Amino acid sequence: MVGSALVTRLLLGSSACQDAPGYGCLGYAVLWSYLLPVLNFLLTWPVLRVLVVRPAWLTALLGTGIGWYLVRGIDAVRWLPGGTQYVQVALCTAAFAVAAWFTQSRRPLWPRATVALGLVLLMPLDSLATTQIARSRQNNELADAGVPLLGPQLPAGYHLNGAGTTRSTTADDATFYYRISPDSLGTGANTMDELHQEIQVTVGPVQPGFTPPSRCAALTNVYPVPSPACSPVAPGVWRWSNYDYVQYFTRIGDAVAVLQARTPPVSSAVLRELAGTMRVRPPSYFTGG
């Protein structure tokens, strides 16, 4: 396994691979990923025979399969702080140890069945762990956004996605953004027509050019700063429109949330309801946990 990992690194780092035109190097990597399990089996078979492990061919075959399953199936490993190559080698070594234990016919059946069940359940458990780790990291990112996390009370049929932050060296330029999508789009828009059904939300510090209703220039880096007039629709909420696009501005303290959408297909009543229910929310409100 160590040799295979070394050969893989040498192959992908070679000049022939990196200088290959188009997707040549990617093609080599994909082809090598399919050849690697076969080479592992062919190399470990004679090694196991020398080590007097019997049956050597079955142990090599089973160990290669379990190792491939563990390395490819456990996504949570990539979240570890470095050293993933060593973890992969440890997983492959453990796979051959389990394979050798499996192939000992004198062992009773039920312990092997228990281990097999554990391997099957490892995939959904790993998926759950990966989701929780990613969500925790996103929560930490949002908590460090540098601006209040303003979010609306969602009406029925809508959900949040795409939450993130724009890092900046100064607090005045930090922004927080997300999308409000109808449930009919699932995880997000794939076409331009579907994109027009989403509501884009950006939150940032109040800029000097934001003095509604005379000027509603918010979260813009365009100079000179445009100064469109906007109409008050509720306390701390203003509306501005420009042909197909409508923007609602909600100011809470030193932060302003800008909701932008096309009308139609997005209803002005929905935009007004969202803008009027903006409040400071915890990070978990935007990540679902």
Short mmCIF file of all heavy atoms in Angstrom, two decimals, residues 5 23-24 28 30 56 58 66 84 98 101 114 124 142 189 197 212 217 219-220 228 232 240 258:
data_model
loop_
_atom_site.label_atom_id
_atom_site.label_comp_id
_atom_site.label_asym_id
_atom_site.label_seq_id
_atom_site.Cartn_x
_atom_site.Cartn_y
_atom_site.Cartn_z
N ALA A 5 0.91 4.12 -2.96
CA ALA A 5 0.72 5.54 -2.71
C ALA A 5 1.90 6.35 -3.26
O ALA A 5 1.72 7.43 -3.83
CB ALA A 5 0.55 5.81 -1.22
N TYR A 23 -6.98 17.19 -21.03
CA TYR A 23 -7.26 16.44 -19.81
C TYR A 23 -6.41 15.17 -19.74
O TYR A 23 -6.81 14.19 -19.14
CB TYR A 23 -8.74 16.07 -19.75
CG TYR A 23 -9.65 17.25 -19.64
CD1 TYR A 23 -10.27 17.78 -20.77
CD2 TYR A 23 -9.89 17.86 -18.41
CE1 TYR A 23 -11.11 18.89 -20.67
CE2 TYR A 23 -10.73 18.96 -18.30
CZ TYR A 23 -11.34 19.47 -19.43
OH TYR A 23 -12.17 20.56 -19.34
N GLY A 24 -5.21 15.23 -20.36
CA GLY A 24 -4.37 14.04 -20.41
C GLY A 24 -4.00 13.53 -19.03
O GLY A 24 -4.09 12.35 -18.73
N TYR A 28 -4.86 9.99 -17.11
CA TYR A 28 -3.91 9.09 -16.46
C TYR A 28 -4.35 8.77 -15.03
O TYR A 28 -4.27 7.63 -14.58
CB TYR A 28 -2.52 9.72 -16.43
CG TYR A 28 -1.86 9.87 -17.78
CD1 TYR A 28 -0.97 10.92 -18.03
CD2 TYR A 28 -2.14 8.98 -18.81
CE1 TYR A 28 -0.37 11.07 -19.28
CE2 TYR A 28 -1.54 9.13 -20.05
CZ TYR A 28 -0.67 10.17 -20.28
OH TYR A 28 -0.09 10.32 -21.50
N VAL A 30 -7.39 8.87 -13.71
CA VAL A 30 -8.58 8.01 -13.69
C VAL A 30 -8.20 6.58 -14.03
O VAL A 30 -8.64 5.63 -13.36
CB VAL A 30 -9.64 8.55 -14.67
CG1 VAL A 30 -10.80 7.57 -14.80
CG2 VAL A 30 -10.15 9.91 -14.21
N ALA A 56 -3.70 -17.32 0.71
CA ALA A 56 -3.09 -16.03 0.37
C ALA A 56 -3.90 -15.27 -0.66
O ALA A 56 -4.11 -14.05 -0.54
CB ALA A 56 -1.66 -16.26 -0.13
N LEU A 58 -7.14 -15.41 -1.41
CA LEU A 58 -8.41 -14.91 -0.90
C LEU A 58 -8.20 -13.74 0.06
O LEU A 58 -8.95 -12.75 0.04
CB LEU A 58 -9.17 -16.04 -0.21
CG LEU A 58 -10.56 -15.68 0.32
CD1 LEU A 58 -11.45 -15.17 -0.81
CD2 LEU A 58 -11.20 -16.89 1.00
N ILE A 66 -11.64 -4.52 0.76
CA ILE A 66 -11.98 -3.76 1.97
C ILE A 66 -11.19 -2.46 2.03
O ILE A 66 -11.72 -1.41 2.39
CB ILE A 66 -11.72 -4.61 3.23
CG1 ILE A 66 -12.65 -5.84 3.25
CG2 ILE A 66 -11.92 -3.78 4.48
CD1 ILE A 66 -12.38 -6.78 4.41
N THR A 84 -3.50 12.87 5.92
CA THR A 84 -4.48 11.94 5.37
C THR A 84 -3.81 10.76 4.67
O THR A 84 -4.38 9.67 4.64
CB THR A 84 -5.40 12.67 4.37
OG1 THR A 84 -4.61 13.30 3.36
CG2 THR A 84 -6.24 13.72 5.09
N VAL A 98 -8.05 -7.35 8.83
CA VAL A 98 -9.43 -7.85 8.91
C VAL A 98 -9.64 -8.98 7.91
O VAL A 98 -10.30 -9.99 8.21
CB VAL A 98 -10.43 -6.70 8.65
CG1 VAL A 98 -11.85 -7.24 8.51
CG2 VAL A 98 -10.36 -5.68 9.76
N TRP A 101 -8.19 -12.14 9.20
CA TRP A 101 -9.06 -12.68 10.27
C TRP A 101 -10.31 -13.31 9.68
O TRP A 101 -10.78 -14.34 10.13
CB TRP A 101 -9.42 -11.54 11.22
CG TRP A 101 -10.33 -11.95 12.33
CD1 TRP A 101 -10.01 -12.65 13.45
CD2 TRP A 101 -11.73 -11.67 12.42
NE1 TRP A 101 -11.13 -12.83 14.24
CE2 TRP A 101 -12.19 -12.23 13.62
CE3 TRP A 101 -12.64 -11.00 11.60
CZ2 TRP A 101 -13.52 -12.15 14.03
CZ3 TRP A 101 -13.95 -10.90 12.00
CH2 TRP A 101 -14.39 -11.47 13.20
N THR A 114 -20.83 -9.96 12.28
CA THR A 114 -20.93 -8.69 13.00
C THR A 114 -20.00 -7.64 12.39
O THR A 114 -20.37 -6.48 12.20
CB THR A 114 -20.59 -8.89 14.48
OG1 THR A 114 -21.48 -9.87 15.04
CG2 THR A 114 -20.71 -7.59 15.25
N PRO A 124 -23.13 4.91 5.89
CA PRO A 124 -24.08 5.95 6.34
C PRO A 124 -23.59 6.71 7.57
O PRO A 124 -23.85 7.92 7.70
CB PRO A 124 -25.36 5.16 6.65
CG PRO A 124 -24.93 3.75 6.81
CD PRO A 124 -23.75 3.57 5.92
N LEU A 142 -19.65 31.41 9.60
CA LEU A 142 -20.68 32.44 9.67
C LEU A 142 -20.56 33.23 10.98
O LEU A 142 -20.80 34.44 11.01
CB LEU A 142 -22.07 31.81 9.57
CG LEU A 142 -22.39 31.08 8.26
CD1 LEU A 142 -23.83 30.60 8.26
CD2 LEU A 142 -22.11 31.96 7.05
N ALA A 189 -30.88 26.40 -8.21
CA ALA A 189 -31.26 26.62 -9.60
C ALA A 189 -30.23 26.03 -10.55
O ALA A 189 -29.03 26.10 -10.30
CB ALA A 189 -31.44 28.11 -9.86
N GLN A 197 -36.11 32.65 -10.17
CA GLN A 197 -37.07 32.38 -9.10
C GLN A 197 -36.45 32.52 -7.72
O GLN A 197 -37.16 32.49 -6.71
CB GLN A 197 -37.66 30.97 -9.25
CG GLN A 197 -38.40 30.73 -10.55
CD GLN A 197 -38.90 29.30 -10.66
OE1 GLN A 197 -39.43 28.73 -9.70
NE2 GLN A 197 -38.74 28.70 -11.83
N PRO A 212 -31.46 56.53 2.88
CA PRO A 212 -32.82 56.50 2.34
C PRO A 212 -33.71 57.52 3.04
O PRO A 212 -33.43 57.92 4.19
CB PRO A 212 -33.27 55.07 2.65
CG PRO A 212 -32.47 54.66 3.85
CD PRO A 212 -31.15 55.34 3.68
N ALA A 217 -27.94 53.68 -1.94
CA ALA A 217 -26.71 53.02 -2.41
C ALA A 217 -26.16 52.20 -1.26
O ALA A 217 -25.61 52.75 -0.30
CB ALA A 217 -25.70 54.05 -2.87
N LEU A 219 -23.92 48.58 -0.07
CA LEU A 219 -23.05 47.44 -0.39
C LEU A 219 -22.57 47.50 -1.82
O LEU A 219 -22.62 46.51 -2.55
CB LEU A 219 -23.80 46.12 -0.14
CG LEU A 219 -24.49 45.99 1.22
CD1 LEU A 219 -25.14 44.61 1.33
CD2 LEU A 219 -23.52 46.20 2.35
N THR A 220 -22.10 48.64 -2.25
CA THR A 220 -21.61 48.78 -3.62
C THR A 220 -20.18 49.29 -3.60
O THR A 220 -19.82 50.13 -2.78
CB THR A 220 -22.50 49.72 -4.44
OG1 THR A 220 -21.94 49.87 -5.75
CG2 THR A 220 -22.62 51.10 -3.80
N PRO A 228 -29.85 56.18 -6.30
CA PRO A 228 -31.27 56.07 -6.65
C PRO A 228 -32.13 56.33 -5.42
O PRO A 228 -31.79 55.97 -4.30
CB PRO A 228 -31.39 54.60 -7.10
CG PRO A 228 -30.30 53.90 -6.35
CD PRO A 228 -29.19 54.89 -6.23
N PRO A 232 -40.11 54.27 1.18
CA PRO A 232 -40.32 53.56 2.44
C PRO A 232 -41.59 52.73 2.38
O PRO A 232 -42.63 53.20 1.91
CB PRO A 232 -40.43 54.69 3.46
CG PRO A 232 -40.85 55.89 2.68
CD PRO A 232 -40.28 55.73 1.31
N TRP A 240 -36.78 49.69 -3.94
CA TRP A 240 -36.28 50.33 -5.15
C TRP A 240 -36.43 49.35 -6.30
O TRP A 240 -36.21 48.15 -6.15
CB TRP A 240 -34.81 50.71 -4.98
CG TRP A 240 -34.17 51.26 -6.23
CD1 TRP A 240 -34.27 52.52 -6.70
CD2 TRP A 240 -33.35 50.54 -7.15
NE1 TRP A 240 -33.56 52.66 -7.87
CE2 TRP A 240 -32.98 51.45 -8.17
CE3 TRP A 240 -32.90 49.23 -7.22
CZ2 TRP A 240 -32.19 51.08 -9.25
CZ3 TRP A 240 -32.10 48.85 -8.30
CH2 TRP A 240 -31.75 49.77 -9.30
N VAL A 258 -29.85 43.50 1.85
CA VAL A 258 -30.38 43.83 0.53
C VAL A 258 -30.96 42.57 -0.09
O VAL A 258 -30.24 41.58 -0.27
CB VAL A 258 -29.28 44.41 -0.39
CG1 VAL A 258 -29.87 44.78 -1.74
CG2 VAL A 258 -28.63 45.61 0.26
#
